[in-house]
Every structure is written in structure tokens, then in C-alpha cells.
Amino acid sequence: LAEGKRTPAFYEFQKLVEEFGKDKNASRKKALEKLSQVKVASLYENITDRVRNVNETIKLLKETHTDFIFRGFWRWSPCLESPDDIPPELIELARGENVTPRRISEAIRKSGKHYKGIKETIAAIKKEMPAILFCGAIPAQRICRIERNPITGKILGEEETWKMALDPQKWKVKHDGKPVTREEFQKWFGMGHQWVEKDEGYDRRKVVAYFPDITNPDFQGLLLSWAKKQVECGADAIWIDMLHTQARFLLQITGDPKHPAVRDSFAAGSRIVTEIHKYGASKEKYIYVGSWASPFSIIEDIPYSPPKLDFVTSSPSIQEIRDQKLDRAKLGKKIPNWGSIPNWDRRIANARKAFGDIPIFVFIDWSHDKSPLVTFSQELDSEEQGKMLRTCDEFFVEMGANFVYPIHGGYLGKKAKKLPFGKYRTYDSLAPEFQTYDTIKELAQKKASGGGKSKEAEKK
């Protein structure tokens, strides 16, 4: 080619490139067709916890005819291979925090959060339900002070993780004319996530986690390792929480959608999606990747292309849950440098415009002491919760989206008074405090049998 010659070998190579492109597109098209056929999506987080055993979990999934397990495993903190495999360097780094191998082992057994358990549980579910799709979940907004790469097994200490913490001064970001420092940003985010007390100073050596920089190559590798490990355990899909939150924060601070910090953050989010797809292809398996539809569903003039997601998610607001009403035409709250959140008609239309005709899943989201799920579980009684589930199911079918049934999972906050079975801080539809499972089962069985669809959805 350098000499300007086009030999028969060149044309053969060109043909192979074209065929590879066709095969790649055909693979995604076929995979998306399967995902689009999902009727019943159920939230069950985590499939390895000890609220019930795997056989009981499978029974619930079968009764509801679940096609898609959403957030089946949520990787929030370092996850080890098994309760019997405690890296000595982890104990060394955690010295002084009253941590021993025995305590770690006991905590892991109690939580069920280890990769051996995840792999065995997914295998058990798929043995009984071969066609089911399992979606794991990872956070783009958190890196613990002491971390672990589950692919390499490397333990990362606080000096290494602090280097991955977001520092707005990487792009000389200012707010009201003043530089925003790494410590200031980390304290602000930490207070919102209850890692830092409002009135105390910021000491990075005492907090449990940092907000990571998604443009940092080391963090990208770590984030991808969490996704890859779940794929190795049998996950068919990965949902990434807050994939574009860094871009959103920097946009709110700078007020400039074309600021290099905003541009780089959007680009990094897209790269993560691409790399997960590549990893799936290397395993000869199509891995679905999803995240929030926002900010692309909210800001209509983002000057960047969205990542090639296979599905997107959204959630009713706290106020909508409290009012027990969803309004297609009502505007949401105002966000600095964004304007008002568009109504549901515009949000769905914007998501379709940005991402194409891919599935939109809507679930009742949670965070800490204030969230849609906290409002749903703590402010509504059992009858009102059942009614709200019916409202959401019907409303989002009309909108062309799929409402995810909250069978189990979702943090209820530190201040919750109504606790499932009187002791857990995660929502459970079978708990006597809520008793929404019968409603979920009825709605799911109706949807599985082809009922519950609007005429527009059936025609589509």
C-alpha cells in the first residue's frame, strides 16, 4: 500500500474486512432481537444474599416468568473469589482497622458476595431456566480506598486509588472564578453519599471511597475488570451506574458542554461500553451493556454521540411515587445548567432519538435516605404500593417502555423504619411489611401471556 500497489492479496484482505463488519453488525442485530423479546424484567439484587436460597429464588423467577434478571449482582465494594481465599496483602493494607482473615471470611459468608457463589448461582438458575438473561451491575461513581482487580487479583492501596480519584484541576476547572480542588470535589460528593460528615474536614485516609476519574486509564482498567469478572461468572449483560455522571457534574460546574473536561468524560464513558462489547466478542458471546438514558434523554443538544448501549434505564421521581401518579406532560425539577427535566413524552422521545430502537427499562431507583424506593417502601402502605406498581406497569407499557418488577433488592437507607422481615435494609416484595409479590406475580404472568400491552406496543 505504501508503494501504491494493490495486489490480489490486498483485495482479499479488503473482502475479509467487509465480511467482518457485516458479521459484527449481524451479531448485534440478532442479539438485540432477543433482548427486544423480553417481556418480564425483574429486579433481584443480589441473587447470592441470604434472604432465601437459590431454589427459592428460582421458584420466584419461574412463577413470574422472568426473562431478564436486572441487577442480579451489584458490585459496590471489593469482591473476593471465595470466603476461603483471603489475600494476605488485603489484611496488610487494612491493618489498624480491626480486620482479620476470620472476620473477613465470616462477613463474606454472611453476605454471599463472592465470585464463586455468583458463578454457582447463575449456573443453577440457567440450568432451570436456560433462556433467561442475567444482568450484573457495576458503579462508575465509586472506587473504594482499598480495592481489588478481580481479573489480575491485584490489591490496590489508598495511594494508588487516590491517584484515580477525580481531580477537576486536571482540566483547570473553576467555579465562580475559583479553582475546584480534588479535596473539595471529593468532600462534596462524599457528603452526598454519606462517606463524609458535613461539618468535618476531609481526610482521604479515613473515608471509605472516592469518586473516580473515568478518564483515568488505571480506573478504566479497574472498572472493566469488574465487568469482565461478572461475564466470566455467567452474566449476559452489564448495567453501569452513573456512566455519564462525571460529564454531568463537570458540565454543571463549568456551564460549558464543549469544555475539554466534559468532552473527555463523555468520550471515556463511550470507550467503556466499547471495551465491554469487545471483551464479550473475545469470549464469542454478545454482552449487552446498559446504563441510564440520561443525560441524553434530558439534554437535547449534547454535542457528542451517545455510547452504543443495548438498553437504557430510567426511574420515576420521588414526587411521582409520593403522589402515586405519573404524568406524561408534567415537567420535572430544575437542574443548574440543564433547565427543567423534560416530561415523560420528551424523555422517551429523546432516548429513542439518541440510542435508537433499543429496550427502555424503568425501575424504582434508590440511593441513600432519600430515593424513589425509600418513598415507595416507607411512605406507602402495602395496598398503595400494589396500586403504584399497577400504575407504573400500565403507564410505561403505554410509553413503549418495560417496567421492572421489584421482587427483591434496593437499599432502604439508614433511617428506614419498615424493614423487611424486621431486619434487612433491602426491599423484598414477599416481606410481611410490604406484601407486593402477589401483585407482581399477577402483573408479570399477564405480561408473559401477552396481556398488558397497549395497542401501540402490540402494533410495534
Side-chain angles (χ1 to χ4, degrees):
L1 288 178
E3 297 174 357
K5 296 178 180 179
R6 300 200 173 192
T7 64
F10 165 79
Y11 292 106
E12 185 65 26
F13 175 73
Q14 188 178 50
K15 182 180 178 182
L16 286 171
V17 171
E18 291 173 354
E19 288 302 315
F20 175 77
K22 290 177 183 177
D23 290 343
K24 193 175 180 182
N25 292 332
S27 174
R28 182 171 192 262
K29 184 178 180 182
K30 185 177 180 181
L32 288 180
E33 284 177 0
K34 182 178 181 180
L35 189 63
S36 68
Q37 292 168 5
V38 166
K39 292 182 179 179
V40 179
S42 298
L43 189 148
Y44 200 103
E45 181 187 305
N46 291 298
I47 58 161
T48 56
D49 65 21
R50 292 297 178 259
V51 174
R52 53 185 58 89
N53 63 43
V54 65
N55 291 325
E56 292 170 331
T57 300
I58 290 172
K59 180 177 179 290
L60 301 181
L61 297 173
K62 283 185 172 181
E63 284 182 346
T64 53
H65 301 280
T66 296
D67 302 307
F68 186 74
I69 303 174
F70 179 59
R71 292 185 66 150
F73 180 74
W74 170 235
R75 193 275 180 207
W76 185 240
S77 297
C79 186
L80 300 180
E81 296 303 315
S82 78
D84 304 313
D85 184 15
I86 313 300
E89 58 266 44
L90 178 64
I91 304 301
E92 180 68 23
L93 285 171
R95 186 190 302 169
E97 297 183 15
N98 200 24
V99 174
T100 65
R102 183 178 177 181
R103 285 196 173 193
I104 294 177
S105 182
E106 288 175 352
I108 292 174
R109 289 185 195 283
K110 186 176 180 180
S111 69
K113 293 182 179 179
H114 53 87
Y115 289 117
K116 180 182 177 183
I118 298 165
K119 188 173 184 177
E120 291 174 348
T121 304
I122 293 176
I125 292 172
K126 290 191 174 185
K127 183 178 179 180
E128 294 293 321
M129 306 175 73
I132 202 167
L133 294 173
F134 182 91
C135 176
I138 57 176
Q141 76 273 28
R142 172 179 163 112
I143 180 172
C144 291
R145 185 163 50 83
I146 298 175
E147 270 297 352
R148 177 177 182 268
N149 183 315
I151 298 297
T152 65
K154 183 180 179 181
I155 303 295
L156 306 171
E158 60 187 26
E159 295 304 321
E160 292 172 284
T161 55
W162 179 246
K163 290 177 182 178
M164 301 182 208
L166 178 62
D167 180 5
Q169 286 312 294
K170 180 177 181 177
W171 299 275
K172 309 298 181 185
V173 170
K174 294 182 179 181
H175 181 63
D176 291 336
K178 297 180 180 179
V180 180
T181 68
R182 181 184 311 198
E183 287 76 8
E184 287 172 334
F185 181 89
Q186 295 296 332
K187 181 179 179 180
W188 170 78
F189 187 81
M191 287 191 299
H193 279 63
Q194 301 177 336
W195 303 338
V196 181
E197 293 297 327
K198 185 176 181 180
D199 297 326
E200 69 179 23
Y202 184 78
D203 185 346
R204 67 178 178 87
R205 292 178 175 80
K206 293 182 179 180
V207 298
V208 296
Y210 312 126
F211 184 93
D213 177 5
I214 200 169
T215 70
N216 182 297
D218 291 331
F219 175 66
Q220 290 176 2
L222 188 61
L223 182 62
L224 286 169
S225 77
W226 303 338
K228 291 175 180 179
K229 190 63 178 182
Q230 291 194 35
V231 171
E232 288 186 1
C233 289
D236 305 288
I238 299 294
W239 181 76
I240 311 172
D241 193 17
M242 293 193 175
L243 179 63
H244 292 110
T245 295
Q246 178 170 317
R248 176 167 66 86
F249 284 156
L250 293 171
L251 172 57
Q252 288 178 248
I253 294 171
T254 64
D256 180 6
K258 294 185 179 181
H259 192 286
V262 179
R263 177 199 63 209
D264 294 349
S265 300
F266 272 120
S270 294
R271 180 177 181 272
I272 294 298
V273 175
T274 299
E275 290 300 317
I276 295 175
H277 280 144
K278 284 183 179 179
Y279 184 73
S282 74
K283 299 294 181 180
E284 298 184 348
K285 181 179 180 181
Y286 191 89
I287 298 300
Y288 302 103
V289 185
S291 187
W292 292 103
S294 63
F296 292 92
S297 63
I298 295 176
I299 306 176
E300 300 190 29
D301 55 353
I302 294 178
Y304 307 104
S305 298
K308 207 160 190 175
L309 295 171
D310 303 299
F311 66 95
V312 291
T313 57
S314 193
S315 171
S317 67
I318 291 175
Q319 195 60 50
E320 286 174 315
I321 296 293
R322 182 171 290 135
D323 294 342
Q324 301 176 58
K325 183 180 179 182
L326 296 161
D327 194 331
R328 294 179 65 157
K330 186 178 180 181
L331 291 175
K333 66 179 181 180
K334 289 187 176 181
I335 298 178
N337 295 320
W338 281 29
S340 295
I341 295 179
N343 57 47
W344 279 107
D345 277 330
R346 289 305 310 155
R347 285 163 69 181
I348 296 295
N350 290 343
R352 294 281 181 221
K353 182 179 178 182
F355 297 101
D357 189 20
I358 61 173
I360 299 174
F361 295 106
V362 181
F363 70 103
I364 302 175
D365 188 28
W366 60 89
S367 180
H368 295 283
D369 291 327
K370 293 182 180 180
S371 72
L373 185 64
V374 168
T375 302
F376 177 78
S377 65
Q378 303 301 305
E379 296 184 22
L380 307 187
D381 61 30
S382 294
E383 185 177 344
E384 291 170 329
Q385 288 180 36
K387 183 180 177 182
M388 190 65 205
L389 291 176
R390 293 180 187 278
T391 297
C392 287
D393 205 37
E394 181 180 346
F395 180 85
F396 290 112
V397 164
E398 289 294 328
M399 296 299 298
N402 196 333
F403 179 61
V404 181
Y405 301 120
I407 294 178
H408 171 76
Y411 183 56
L412 301 182
K414 294 180 180 179
K415 299 179 181 179
K417 301 298 182 183
K418 287 192 288 183
L419 301 179
F421 307 103
K423 58 181 179 179
Y424 298 111
R425 291 197 174 273
T426 54
Y427 186 82
D428 190 274
S429 61
L430 285 85
E433 293 79 6
F434 306 126
Q435 301 178 35
T436 54
Y437 178 70
D438 286 343
T439 299
I440 289 173
K441 183 168 69 172
E442 176 194 334
L443 294 171
Q445 290 178 349
K446 181 180 179 182
K447 189 177 285 185
S449 64
K453 283 189 176 183
S454 66
K455 290 182 179 179
E456 290 180 8
E458 287 178 343
K459 184 177 180 181
K460 182 180 177 183

